[in-house]
Amino acid sequence: MTTLTESAAAAPDTLVQGTCRIVEAPRGRRRREYVEELLAEGELRGSESHHLSCRLDTGGPWAGLAELLRALLPHIESGAPELIRKHSYELSLALPELRKRFPMTDASLTDSSPVKERIRSYPIDRAYRLLHGLVDLLHEWLPRHGRRLIVACDDFDGAGALMRRFFRELVRRRLRQLPLDIIFVVGEGKADSLPREIVTRTDEIVRLDVEGDLEVPDQAEMARMADELEARIDAAMGESENFLPRLIQCCLDSGQLQRAHRWRTVALAVYNHFGLYEDALFFGEPLLEDIDLACSGPRSFTRWNVVSGLFNALVALSEPERAYQLVHDEALLRCDDPKDLVSIYYTLAMLHCRFLKKRDLGIAEEYINKSMEMIDLTTLDDSEKHYLNVFNLNGLAFIRHLQGRVEEAAELCKSGFERLNLHLSEDQYRLHRSVLLYNIAQVHTSTRSYDQAVEYFTAAMEIDPRYSEYHNERGNAYLKMGRLPEALADYQNARELSAPYHEVYTNLGQAYKLIGDAEKAAVAYSEALDLDPSQLLPRLGRAQAYEATGRKEDALADYTAALELDPSDPQIWSNRAVLHYECGRAADSLADLNEAIHRNATIPDLFANRALVLRELGRRDDAIQDYSTYLTLLPSAPDRAEVLQNIGALREAAVPGSPSS
């Protein structure tokens, strides 16, 4: 069955907007030939074609996009090298071979610290920033490329979470503005499982009635390829992501499950580090079937290596109950090495105080104490023992903060920082030192001691100047202090140090609004909403900015969208009511005020505003009642005399034969 819209029937080279098509058929030669024919037709019309494999199991989290970027990179390099520099961070994560040119040492300490010092895990939405940055790169480059692109995303139903999100965001944010046609190729019955943003923007769906004919891999050839890929990884570990997924698949196809498990453990660790938790778990989940096998054999990892990797992915994906059961059953009950137990006890402490739905701070503190007792039983050198003690005290500080004992929390972090300075060399555990200072700043923020918060944010930034969140959060402290120029500078730095994320643009909007620059505020809020339309704060902020610049219909549209996000807020109904009234739509204004009062009948201004609208609509008795309710709710109203005068005028107008009737 084929569904074809009028726009899809036009020749691609005549379209200003990009198009989106779906081809659904079993994988095999017939499907591949059909896709190649579509690409060839595009080339005849002058398009440049790219046939991408998006399979996570053989290509990894960046499968498809990485291939496209490699093809475009030489053109961008020659035509707009500034875009390469601007997006170097995102590109170097998608294309590991670029890290020689843009080393991670130029990034924040979270990226560049030695493996044993990587104590911070990225939040899951950090990976989404990278995708937005690469969407922006294509948006900036493709109109300058000189040729229309037609891209077939083959095996898209086998794409990982990262690539499904990338193409979803590309289609949602930019496709209709680009000389780009995308064909999503999926298996039989898989079209409806595509992201909603893709399905709703599809111009054409083709369902092919063909048979699949997959080839059976040759085991000997797969074993040979596994040896070759493993040798390439050993020779260039920094680029292992280029070969890991294919190596794992070759091991499986050649019947080498134990060897596949070793490299699955590597993939789990690598993808976890970069915050690609959903795709990391794809490779790590099979390890759960037989952890003993995963931890045996040549070059195997310890049980805790495997379990801790799975734990990191599970808690990042909001599955703390599974994570707890795994750590308890497969680590606590099965591991006896003191060094592993230090980490296991600490992990259980964090589960009980941070991740599990039912917190138990008492149990969490018991586990912290067990971890600290175990440190002296390890064979680690003194500097490592000092570090582990400080790491645990930082966990205890978090517990104290949750208990409301904020001064103790800050003191624990301060003493830990001093201990590291005393017993470790200056270049050791710099990331952890910055985290301790950052935690102290957060404690001061929670107590509204913003001067001290700024002091510690600044100290953390001196150690780790390229971590965007430090700039963003110091900007928040400056904003609350009313130091708007400093807040703006920090937000702008935060924006430059990271791929785009909606929080920093929202904060920029807030700062511009307080400065009184409504136009710049509207632009910043628009950037935030482009990245995430589901955010309420920038939606309301932009509505207010549009009001301030006289764009009332645009403001109304934003208030309407805000009510779709949160219909329970009476203030949003009230704000839209005021705009309806100013636009001469008294009946619509009344309907919104009725809804606002239904949501909260204790806000005096709602009744004063509704009285004004009722008065204009000629409903004098109802207006009198609302004015009276307003004064009852706010007996000391500053406009009390004026309201009483209005009530008197309305009553006088209601008397037959009076001059105002």
Side-chain angles (χ1 to χ4, degrees), residues 238-254:
E239 298 180 22
S240 63
E241 298 115 285
N242 283 338
F243 316 116
L244 266 176
R246 185 60 182 153
L247 169 57
I248 293 167
Q249 192 61 48
C250 286
C251 292
L252 294 172
D253 288 341
S254 58

Side-chain angles (χ1 to χ4, degrees), residues 501-516:
Y501 57 110
H502 70 83
E503 292 91 345
V504 72
Y505 285 101
T506 299
N507 291 338
L508 268 173
Q510 297 290 85
Y512 281 127
K513 181 175 74 172
L514 291 174
I515 285 174

Side-chain angles (χ1 to χ4, degrees), residues 452-464:
Q452 290 175 291
V454 164
E455 176 186 346
Y456 282 99
F457 279 132
T458 303
M461 291 158 65
E462 288 173 356
I463 298 174
D464 192 359

Side-chain angles (χ1 to χ4, degrees), residues 614-642:
L614 289 167
R615 184 176 179 182
E616 178 159 322
L617 292 172
R619 294 170 57 177
R620 294 169 178 169
D621 290 342
D622 291 335
I624 290 170
Q625 183 177 341
D626 270 5
Y627 275 136
S628 300
T629 302
Y630 168 68
L631 294 178
T632 300
L633 292 170
L634 192 63
S636 59
D639 58 346
R640 183 178 182 85
E642 181 182 347

Side-chain angles (χ1 to χ4, degrees), residues 199-432:
V199 175
T200 56
R201 286 171 169 79
T202 297
D203 303 280
E204 180 184 10
I205 300 177
V206 177
R207 292 180 171 90
L208 300 180
D209 184 14
V210 298
E211 295 292 330
D213 54 349
L214 295 179
E215 296 180 2
V216 177
D218 178 83
Q219 283 201 343
E221 176 62 16
M222 292 300 101
R224 186 196 66 76
M225 287 185 64
D227 291 341
E228 179 183 317
L229 290 167
E230 191 170 276
R232 293 178 73 179
I233 289 176
D234 287 340
M237 278 301 295
E239 298 180 22
S240 63
E241 298 115 285
N242 283 338
F243 316 116
L244 266 176
R246 185 60 182 153
L247 169 57
I248 293 167
Q249 192 61 48
C250 286
C251 292
L252 294 172
D253 288 341
S254 58
Q256 303 180 76
L257 181 59
Q258 187 179 71
R259 189 181 185 186
H261 277 350
R262 165 181 160 71
W263 291 109
R264 279 172 165 157
T265 305
V266 174
L268 176 65
V270 169
Y271 299 140
N272 267 343
H273 170 61
F274 291 117
L276 314 182
Y277 302 108
E278 293 163 289
D279 293 336
L281 195 58
F282 170 86
F283 290 98
E285 193 97 45
L287 300 172
L288 289 168
E289 298 172 9
D290 193 345
I291 292 181
D292 289 330
L293 180 64
C295 300
S296 60
R299 303 174 68 183
S300 62
F301 293 90
T302 69
R303 176 175 292 271
W304 179 237
N305 283 144
V306 176
V307 173
S308 63
L310 290 165
F311 160 81
N312 286 334
L314 288 169
V315 295
L317 296 172
S318 301
E319 295 190 52
E321 305 299 332
R322 281 187 68 196
Y324 170 77
Q325 207 62 51
L326 175 67
V327 172
H328 181 273
D329 295 351
E330 296 293 346
L332 181 65
L333 301 182
R334 303 289 299 275
C335 297
D336 55 13
D337 183 284
K339 183 180 176 182
D340 287 341
L341 286 171
V342 170
S343 297
I344 292 167
Y345 289 143
Y346 179 87
T347 298
L348 287 165
M350 290 301 102
L351 277 162
H352 282 288
C353 72
R354 182 177 179 184
F355 297 115
L356 291 172
K357 292 179 181 177
K358 186 178 180 181
R359 284 179 173 173
D360 193 320
L361 301 184
I363 292 178
E365 187 166 347
E366 288 177 14
Y367 276 121
I368 287 288
N369 291 333
K370 285 184 177 182
S371 179
M372 295 182 72
E373 291 169 4
M374 192 61 58
I375 292 171
D376 287 335
L377 300 181
T378 68
T379 58
L380 298 169
D381 60 39
D382 287 344
S383 65
E384 292 296 313
K385 290 180 178 180
H386 283 301
Y387 160 70
L388 288 173
N389 273 291
V390 171
F391 191 82
N392 273 277
L393 290 173
N394 187 39
L396 183 60
F398 181 68
I399 295 171
R400 293 287 180 263
H401 184 66
L402 294 176
Q403 292 169 331
R405 297 157 66 176
V406 292
E407 291 184 3
E408 290 181 54
E411 190 54 43
L412 284 168
C413 292
K414 290 177 186 176
S415 63
F417 182 77
E418 292 167 0
R419 184 171 179 174
L420 292 180
N421 285 342
L422 180 63
H423 295 288
L424 274 66
S425 63
E426 187 177 345
D427 62 339
Q428 286 183 291
Y429 291 102
R430 294 174 62 235
L431 173 59
H432 190 51

Side-chain angles (χ1 to χ4, degrees), residues 465-484:
R466 300 192 63 80
Y467 193 59
S468 174
E469 284 80 351
Y470 288 169
H471 294 264
N472 186 49
E473 294 204 36
R474 189 177 70 173
N476 291 341
Y478 278 136
L479 193 73
K480 290 168 183 173
M481 296 167 69
R483 295 171 61 176
L484 301 181

